[in-house]
Amino acid sequence: MRDIWDDPKRGAISVNWTVSPVLADIGPTLLAYYQKTATGNDLLIAGPSGAGYTYAGSWPEKALDAYTELTGQGTLHDYRRDAHNSRRS
């Protein structure tokens, strides 16, 4: 994403950029960079896969429980709130 994001032509047309809803927790500086450098034609959205795609069978049970909890509605709600607040500043 960063290679395409840094293209000088970015912003010429409207694009939805899919980012993980947990980026605010695991990479807040990266998320802040995208929020601060977004043009009026860039929209950061959470994809339908929660925190990301995974193969559940390859996870230890406790870790999978934590991962699925992380992808729950609370995390998505927080992401939407943070994204909304960043647009207002």
Side-chain angles (χ1 to χ4, degrees):
M1 180 170 158
R2 180 69 190 264
D3 289 340
I4 299 170
W5 189 266
D6 289 339
D7 189 309
K9 295 177 190 168
R10 181 182 53 82
I13 61 169
S14 296
V15 174
N16 292 335
W17 298 87
T18 305
V19 296
S20 173
V22 297
L23 192 56
D25 295 321
I26 64 171
T29 303
L30 184 59
L31 179 59
Y33 170 79
Y34 288 126
Q35 290 171 327
K36 289 178 183 176
T37 60
T39 71
N41 279 334
D42 296 314
L43 180 62
L44 301 174
I45 62 169
S49 59
Y53 299 105
T54 189
Y55 296 97
S58 65
W59 287 66
E61 187 174 342
K62 286 185 179 182
L64 182 59
D65 289 345
Y67 176 82
T68 55
E69 178 66 27
L70 188 62
T71 65
Q73 290 298 315
T75 300
L76 294 177
H77 177 267
D78 289 346
Y79 176 80
R80 287 191 297 264
R81 183 200 66 224
D82 292 344
H84 175 74
N85 289 339
S86 74
R87 288 284 186 175
R88 297 175 68 198
S89 38

